[in-house]
Amino acid sequence: MLTKTTHPDRAQLYADMSPHNLTPLWEVLHALVPQQPKTPCVPAHWKYDEVRPFLMRAGAAITAEEAIRRVLILENPALRGLSCITQSLYAGLQLILPGEVAPSHRHTQSALRFIVEGSGAYTAVDGEKTTMQPGDFIITPKWTWHDHGHEGSDPMVWLDGLDIPTIRFFDAGFAENDSRSSQEISKPEGASFAAYGHNMAPVRGDSPFGNTSPIFSYPYARTREALHTLERSEKMDAWDGFKLRYTNPLTGGSPMPTMQTFMQLLPPGFKGSPYRQTDGAVFSVVEGSGQALIESHHGSYTFEFSKRDHFVVPSWHTLRLLSQEGCVLFSYSDRPIQQALGIHKEERLVS
Ligand code: 1HN
């Protein structure tokens, strides 16, 4: 930046070329190609006790039908107005009340749902309904018709995770509204899980959703059982506790091409070692409570999290997880995109 002030002739050059949409690289090179990631995103924590009253007020202010999707976006405090939680990911909390319908549409963006509160609502994807329970991880593959309805008796809230900012970055998004409010159901509930959810797959036929998992729902009952069995049988990881990634059963890769999802169990008294990764991650607290200690060029943050809270750990921020009582954490990130580009990096530090 010294060059501008110390070289008046350069300043004149810059001023003269600017109307021609020309700018000198040497003034910005260091910021364009930083020596290490320096995200503008900051860590942030949404306590469910504080968010829930606003969700219920939104429930009184507008119907799901009128809103299309009645969602409060979790916006990164450093990126307000951009509808994103990291530079590549979107997160929101969606409310659906008994008897409501969120109308059918489809879009190029991939979506995940992670159920936070309530039961009895369903999402319908490609002619099949899936009833949602707390802790279930549910997929809406890109460009599939999807609508939601609620046949239960209590408010239902879930976390929506979408790759909206990524698709926006490429200017590659399409969307379409269905002529019907709720799509026609053509398959019994559980059909996709029966075909693909038991370590088996149909003998013939292509993957029904291309590079997205053919399973719409990864039920919490199964995930929880897996983690608790591992807790009794496997050695614990010093950084992650007991952590599994969800897979596309046809490939072993991520359930969606743009987003990887994870579930981890931290046993009581867990004191995790610190680590950092180039994929910023969004966390949803499923059970229990704990602390997230985060450090970066933005400073130090301590989040005291409990059940149904959400928090974001941006790229290349050092994270340490602690839990006195023990907890279960769901998370998602853009890791598959970074892996496809060969740029994903992780550093595990010793405390
Ligand atoms: C969407 O389709 C859903 O289907 C939720 O529930 C949130 C945010 C932006 C664009 C589409 C849903 C969304 C969304």
Side-chain angles (χ1 to χ4, degrees):
M1 283 302 151
L2 277 180
T3 39
K4 257 184 207 165
T5 46
T6 54
H7 296 275
D9 49 334
R10 288 185 191 168
Q12 189 58 52
L13 169 65
Y14 303 167
D16 292 347
M17 69 170 110
S18 181
H20 299 272
N21 303 312
L22 295 168
T23 197
L25 170 63
W26 59 89
E27 294 287 351
V28 293
L29 185 57
H30 57 290
L32 280 186
V33 189
Q35 293 192 335
Q36 54 177 300
K38 224 173 172 180
T39 178
C41 295
V42 292
H45 178 198
W46 291 265
K47 286 183 188 289
Y48 197 63
D49 286 351
E50 292 172 11
V51 172
R52 195 179 188 279
F54 293 115
L55 275 168
M56 296 308 140
R57 279 171 64 183
I62 190 165
T63 64
E65 184 107 43
E66 190 190 349
I68 310 295
R69 296 294 185 266
R70 190 205 285 117
V71 180
L72 301 185
I73 303 174
L74 306 181
E75 276 198 324
N76 193 285
L79 303 171
R80 295 304 308 273
L82 296 177
S83 305
C84 57
I85 190 156
T86 68
Q87 301 247 68
S88 60
L89 296 173
Y90 161 103
L93 288 170
Q94 179 159 179
L95 169 70
I96 187 158
L97 295 169
E100 287 192 318
V101 165
S104 176
H105 68 186
R106 62 177 175 176
H107 39 70
T108 329
Q109 291 81 1
S110 295
L112 67 87
R113 331 258 163 228
F114 186 73
I115 314 311
V116 171
E117 176 187 345
S119 59
Y122 67 83
T123 185
V125 174
D126 199 45
E128 183 180 331
K129 269 187 186 178
T130 299
T131 307
M132 303 186 275
Q133 308 288 344
D136 291 357
F137 157 53
I138 298 206
I139 286 179
T140 307
K142 58 188 144 64
W143 207 244
T144 51
W145 295 112
H146 56 284
D147 53 271
H148 317 299
H150 193 356
E151 291 156 350
S153 52
D154 296 308
M156 178 125 186
V157 176
W158 63 77
L159 171 70
D160 287 315
L162 288 92
D163 53 13
I164 289 173
T166 299
I167 305 303
R168 180 169 63 196
F169 174 77
F170 290 113
D171 287 329
F174 294 85
E176 203 174 9
N177 287 325
D178 204 338
S179 53
R180 312 147 297 182
S181 172
S182 303
Q183 66 184 283
E184 226 166 277
I185 300 304
S186 57
K187 288 169 235 173
E189 178 158 0
S192 66
F193 200 76
Y196 299 98
H198 300 282
N199 302 317
M200 304 184 90
V203 177
R204 292 186 184 79
D206 292 332
S207 170
F209 303 105
N211 54 3
T212 299
S213 171
I215 298 181
F216 299 134
S217 172
Y218 295 74
Y220 187 49
R222 302 281 293 262
T223 312
R224 195 174 194 285
E225 187 191 335
L227 287 172
H228 280 281
T229 303
L230 286 179
E231 185 186 12
R232 292 194 301 272
S233 60
E234 293 293 315
K235 193 168 164 284
M236 187 178 74
D237 184 88
W239 292 267
D240 291 334
F242 299 92
K243 187 171 186 175
L244 294 173
R245 62 182 172 91
Y246 290 87
T247 62
N248 174 343
L250 294 179
T251 64
S254 63
M256 285 159 289
T258 47
M259 293 183 282
Q260 177 63 269
T261 48
F262 308 87
M263 191 77 95
Q264 72 196 109
L265 182 154
L266 309 182
F270 183 76
K271 289 196 174 78
S273 294
Y275 68 93
R276 54 185 178 173
Q277 299 175 325
T278 50
D279 52 330
V282 180
F283 287 81
S284 182
V285 184
V286 191
E287 296 184 45
S289 63
Q291 287 180 318
L293 311 180
I294 305 171
E295 294 210 26
S296 77
H297 59 285
H298 292 303
S300 299
Y301 297 73
T302 300
F303 297 150
E304 305 272 351
F305 60 77
S306 49
K307 184 171 165 161
R308 299 183 173 130
D309 284 3
H310 294 84
F311 59 94
V312 59
V313 182
S315 162
W316 217 236
H317 280 49
T318 301
L319 171 65
R320 268 192 83 183
L321 291 168
L322 311 177
S323 181
Q324 195 49 47
E325 125 182 65
C327 63
V328 179
L329 304 174
F330 172 85
S331 58
Y332 69 98
S333 81
D334 64 10
R335 187 174 303 183
I337 311 176
Q338 296 197 26
Q339 287 174 328
L341 300 176
I343 58 167
H344 183 258
K345 187 170 162 123
E346 174 183 51
E347 208 170 75
R348 299 186 124 194
L349 310 162
V350 279
S351 42

